[in-house]
Amino acid sequence: MSSLLPDAAAGVPVPVLVALPAHSPLSARPLHYLHPHALPAGTLVRVPLGARQVLGVVWDGPEQPESDSVQLRAIGEVLEALPPLDAGWRQLVQFTARYYQRSMGEVALSALPPQLRDMDGTQLARRLKKLDKAAVGSATEPAEAPLPLSAQQQAALATLQHQRLQAQGQPLPPALLFGSTGSGKTEVYLQAAAALLDEDAQAQVLVMVPEINLTPQLEQRFARRFPQHRMVSMHSGMTPAQRLQAWLAAHFGQARIVLGTRMAVLASLPGLRLIVVDEEHDPSYKQQEGARYSARDLAIYRAHHAGAGVLLGSATPSLESWHHSRPAGDGDAGGRYLRLCMPDRIGAAPLPRVRLVDMRQQPWQTVFSAALLAAMEERIARGEQCMVLLNRRGYAPVLHCGDCGWKSECPHCSAYRVFHKLDRTLRCHHCGFTERVPFACPSCGNQDLRTLGQGTEQLEEALAQQLQDLQRPDGSAIRILRMDADTTRHAGSLEQQLGQVHAGDVDVLVGTQMIAKGHDFRRITLVAALNPDSALFSSDFRAPERLFSLLLQAGGRAGRDAAIGSRSELWIQTQFPEHALFAALQAHDYPAFAAQQLEERAAAGMPPFSHQALVRAESRDQQQAQDFLNLALHSLQQYDPQGLVFGYPAIPMTPQRVANRERAQMLLETDQRQALLRLLPILSQLLQQHRPRGILRWAIDVDPLAI
């Protein structure tokens, strides 16, 4: 299973990627180790690094080290039981590292299962025996029959098939499946995957979802449709052993279907033929730590170079994807994506009616308007379900003293600690600092502490009081369920709660955005969104796009059963009912909203009409962080004499301080992507050269989603 090599000076130099600290001088290229003979690129090896033995990947590159004076060490072990990682995977790693300004070793090793990084050949051999056993067996249940297709679904699949036949070995254009909520996008995914799996016995399909909570439902759909094919999941909620088992099954080609979150885009898939990116607009596809890659964008790159198809699905596509799929006309050659449209719901069920409640006309501190409560009572009396959305967990965002003005500020962050009533704690959602709620005001001793604002805990409590006299059709008490990061943090709790909703054991579902997208709730006919106004006037130019998407996706949870779909409604309680965003929402007119947003962005030179990179720095002192970034920007200008890339002076981030670290950011912007990509490696070198002792961390975020 493994090849052991004693320490020896004889051998040929082999380039090997290992994980090194970010921005280390050694991380820019593979290290060289000795082995009796050359090894194929992609081979996994264990090599000495300092006093440790670490996992490495044999890489493409020069066979000779840069310096002849370096005393090379020997490769400790070759993991021969694993086939080498193929050229497509290595190319993906190389592109990811180069584009997102990280080291190849960091990207390559972080894409491998954590448990594999610590295994030697003997341990791996034992694990592979378990893998072989897991692969044995056949389907015990017949495959679920495909659902009948609507005309729009048939047209979408026919277009995909035509494109595939016409390609003749050439790269396929990315396809954007723009389908309203309930239009049957998942069935298109299933039948597109079936066509490839039936055609090619080695084909693999990667299906990506933005968040873990969407995997159970999709797993069930694919498992029922493809019981004859092995399917594995890949997401951070799995145990290390489960992640390794899934990765090995994909690497050996045993897993024909891989379902996962953003990490799955870097999995080893030698037979990849199709990538599906569900809810492609979702910001969760953007990694926010380490290599800040966009899994959606990497999926498009990977499919292009692997000769695979890529299908992006959404009811509210990202404005970038919408712009790239624009049809040709008026002197415009059009976008490079293919746009497939499915505007109608399956079964002719209408989209939910959008009703706006002007909260300026409601009594002060009203949480639920009387009209909304009456509508909810009506639904519950008929045995239907309601959903209430508030994108803020906890009981209240702030606890304060009315006498002296004290507020529950976090001592380590420029933010307030959230009041969680259930366990009587004040909890910072940025650094995690938690304390018991004080008996009296820490500043003046006043015992009458009050809350400001609402969270999902408070909504759950308020609804229980407002609806306490209401009964279900069978005479039993109504059931209110809260789903957010606090109630689903234990293993299995998410699946259990979703099961209760699907079984009809819940009358009102209260939660954050985790309940608003992707779920196929058949009994919900009313969705209420509370207090969405902060995004209407945000300094972040992407905030309206995210709000429109969230509200439209949330409304799409209502009326998915055609038998009761005619009664479905989306209620929005707002202080600004006359806002243009709500007018487009009422008309369910995403194209009109997208056209207006793109017009504004084009006038302002914002993405997708420009390209951005954000440079962040952390220090104990805010001014030092800003000075560090500004100095690098000033030095960078000599490498851009034509001024193709514009840099804005550094400013504090929001929040400015997290975990006692002051944070600053600097924005780079250009209408020429290649000019930016040419300068970013130079900027990395300048930042490393000019880094003073007080700078704790710095990072470059290419194509940032939050500014």
Side-chain angles (χ1 to χ4, degrees):
M1 280 291 183
S2 62
S3 174
L4 296 175
L5 179 74
D7 289 337
V12 297
V14 177
V16 178
L17 283 186
V18 296
L20 291 167
H23 314 305
S24 164
L26 294 176
S27 66
R29 58 187 182 277
L31 303 181
H32 282 79
Y33 292 87
L34 291 176
H35 194 262
H37 53 80
L39 294 172
T43 302
L44 292 180
V45 294
R46 296 197 66 79
V47 296
L49 186 66
R52 300 176 297 141
Q53 285 280 330
V54 299
L55 186 68
V57 184
V58 176
W59 210 249
D60 313 85
E63 295 183 356
Q64 294 297 326
E66 290 188 359
S67 173
D68 295 333
S69 62
V70 176
Q71 182 68 38
L72 299 184
R73 303 171 72 180
I75 289 176
E77 186 176 11
V78 180
L79 303 185
E80 295 176 339
L82 287 178
L85 293 153
D86 63 26
W89 184 87
R90 301 196 305 276
Q91 183 183 33
L92 177 68
V93 166
Q94 190 167 351
F95 170 80
T96 303
R98 184 177 70 250
Y99 188 86
Y100 293 103
Q101 296 300 302
R102 308 296 292 195
S103 71
M104 287 193 297
E106 176 192 11
V107 174
L109 274 298
S110 65
L112 301 178
Q115 205 170 60
L116 180 61
R117 299 174 216 162
D118 299 325
M119 280 187 167
D120 59 25
T122 304
Q123 294 167 323
L124 179 61
R126 288 198 297 263
R127 180 52 57 90
L128 291 179
K129 287 181 181 179
K130 295 181 181 179
L131 180 71
D132 292 336
K133 292 178 181 178
V136 174
S138 59
T140 58
E141 297 181 4
E144 181 183 75
L147 298 177
L149 296 174
S150 69
Q152 293 171 358
Q153 289 173 310
Q154 289 176 0
L157 284 165
T159 303
L160 290 173
Q161 176 72 0
H162 176 73
Q163 288 285 329
R164 194 155 55 89
L165 293 175
Q166 290 290 108
Q168 297 182 344
Q170 296 299 311
L172 288 162
L176 174 65
L177 182 60
F178 169 51
S180 66
T181 53
S183 63
K185 292 187 290 295
T186 303
E187 186 64 26
V188 173
Y189 304 157
L190 288 163
Q191 296 204 24
L196 288 170
L197 294 172
D198 293 343
E199 177 184 286
D200 182 354
Q202 306 300 318
Q204 292 177 298
V205 174
L206 171 61
V207 183
M208 295 172 58
V209 293
E211 295 181 7
I212 295 173
N213 62 61
L214 298 178
T215 54
Q217 178 177 288
L218 213 54
E219 277 178 351
Q220 293 171 7
R221 292 284 302 272
F222 273 84
R224 291 196 300 265
R225 189 65 60 87
F226 302 110
Q228 74 277 26
H229 296 310
R230 185 171 181 190
M231 181 179 70
V232 297
S233 294
M234 291 186 182
H235 56 76
S236 59
M238 302 168 67
T239 66
Q242 290 171 332
R243 287 177 62 176
L244 176 60
Q245 192 83 349
W247 187 90
L248 290 171
H251 180 59
F252 278 94
Q254 294 177 358
R256 304 289 304 284
I257 302 167
V258 175
L259 177 64
T261 52
R262 62 174 177 260
M263 68 166 61
V265 78
L266 293 171
S268 174
L269 296 161
L272 184 63
R273 293 290 305 281
L274 173 67
I275 305 178
V276 173
V277 185
D278 192 28
E279 309 292 356
E280 67 87 29
H281 65 277
D282 199 292
S284 298
Y285 282 121
K286 185 75 157 71
Q287 175 79 6
Q288 295 300 327
E289 289 294 331
R292 290 168 165 80
Y293 62 84
S294 164
R296 178 198 64 204
D297 295 348
L298 287 184
I300 294 169
Y301 175 89
R302 184 172 193 179
H304 176 84
H305 288 274
V310 59
L311 183 56
L312 314 174
S314 178
T316 55
S318 65
L319 290 179
E320 285 81 2
S321 296
W322 187 255
H323 178 67
H324 293 324
S325 66
R326 67 193 184 279
D330 296 330
D332 185 352
R336 63 182 187 274
Y337 294 6
L338 174 69
R339 185 185 296 177
L340 309 171
C341 296
M342 299 196 310
D344 297 333
R345 277 187 158 186
I346 296 296
L351 292 166
R353 178 187 176 192
V354 179
R355 303 189 59 166
L356 302 175
V357 179
D358 189 346
M359 296 305 287
R360 296 170 300 188
Q361 307 300 321
Q362 300 296 318
W364 177 247
Q365 292 188 330
T366 295
V367 179
F368 293 94
S369 63
L372 174 56
L373 284 172
M376 294 175 67
E377 291 173 359
E378 181 183 324
R379 300 305 199 286
I380 294 171
R382 287 200 299 256
E384 298 165 7
Q385 295 173 320
C386 302
M387 188 174 94
V388 180
L389 171 70
L390 179 67
N391 205 20
R392 181 182 290 132
R393 60 190 174 99
Y395 188 87
V398 183
L399 193 67
H400 81 115
C401 172
D403 284 359
C404 71
W406 173 87
K407 292 182 176 66
S408 54
E409 294 179 347
C410 176
H412 309 297
C413 306
S414 304
Y416 294 109
R417 286 174 293 164
V418 176
F419 172 42
H420 288 256
K421 188 175 182 180
L422 194 63
D423 57 4
R424 302 291 299 174
T425 60
L426 294 175
R427 195 179 312 162
C428 178
H429 290 176
H430 296 282
C431 72
F433 178 68
T434 303
E435 282 186 330
R436 299 287 297 174
V437 172
F439 177 73
C441 173
S443 179
C444 70
N446 173 31
Q447 297 182 8
D448 185 19
L449 297 179
R450 301 178 182 179
T451 59
L452 287 175
Q454 294 113 22
T456 49
E457 277 187 36
Q458 190 172 160
L459 291 191
E460 180 186 25
E461 180 183 279
L463 273 178
Q465 294 173 350
Q466 296 275 7
L467 304 177
Q468 59 183 337
D469 298 328
L470 201 62
Q471 293 183 331
R472 308 181 79 181
D474 61 4
S476 61
I478 69 166
R479 173 83 192 279
I480 299 172
L481 176 68
R482 173 167 55 92
M483 276 184 62
D484 54 29
D486 296 322
T487 66
T488 58
R489 64 177 180 266
H490 298 299
S493 58
L494 173 65
E495 291 82 357
Q496 178 188 8
Q497 292 180 23
L498 287 174
Q500 292 173 346
V501 179
H502 289 302
D505 298 333
V506 174
D507 300 290
V508 183
L509 175 63
V510 178
T512 54
Q513 64 176 357
M514 68 186 305
I515 65 173
K517 46 195 173 184
H519 300 292
D520 189 20
F521 299 132
R522 310 302 294 181
R523 294 178 173 86
I524 288 179
T525 57
L526 184 148
V527 174
L530 275 55
N531 193 26
D533 295 340
S534 60
L536 296 176
F537 307 102
S538 170
S539 59
D540 185 348
F541 70 91
R542 297 185 191 272
E545 177 186 1
R546 287 196 292 264
L547 176 60
F548 188 92
S549 172
L550 178 62
L551 293 177
L552 197 68
Q553 294 282 343
R557 300 317 106 203
R560 298 178 74 85
D561 188 329
I564 57 177
S566 61
R567 299 193 291 269
S568 62
E569 291 181 339
L570 168 62
W571 287 64
I572 301 174
Q573 294 191 164
T574 173
Q575 301 274 351
F576 306 96
E578 67 283 352
H579 197 282
L581 183 147
F582 295 132
L585 194 67
Q586 284 185 301
H588 296 279
D589 195 348
Y590 172 81
F593 170 77
Q596 177 262 332
Q597 287 289 304
L598 286 171
E599 185 178 345
E600 290 184 6
R601 291 198 188 178
M606 295 290 190
F609 305 100
S610 67
H611 309 283
Q612 297 177 331
L614 199 64
V615 190
R616 299 185 175 98
E618 296 180 2
S619 173
R620 299 296 182 192
D621 179 74
Q622 175 65 217
Q623 191 60 51
Q624 184 185 43
Q626 292 188 35
D627 291 344
F628 166 64
L629 296 177
N630 287 330
L631 176 60
L633 175 61
H634 178 73
S635 301
L636 185 67
Q637 291 171 349
Q638 63 180 303
Y639 298 96
D640 183 28
Q642 295 177 299
L644 299 177
V645 177
F646 182 78
Y648 295 86
I651 60 172
M653 289 179 63
T654 302
Q656 177 175 321
R657 179 168 49 93
V658 170
N660 293 321
R661 293 185 172 195
E662 292 287 335
R663 310 188 309 159
Q665 65 182 20
M666 177 182 70
L667 179 65
L668 301 178
E669 194 170 60
T670 180
D671 58 1
Q672 299 185 29
R673 186 192 298 273
Q674 291 305 316
L676 180 63
L677 296 181
R678 180 181 61 82
L679 287 179
L680 287 180
I682 300 173
L683 177 62
S684 293
Q685 295 175 8
L686 293 172
L687 289 166
Q688 190 62 28
Q689 291 170 5
H690 298 321
R691 179 179 182 175
R693 184 180 296 273
I695 296 297
L696 303 173
R697 187 169 63 167
W698 63 267
I700 297 175
D701 186 357
V702 183
D703 302 332
L705 287 187
I707 298 176

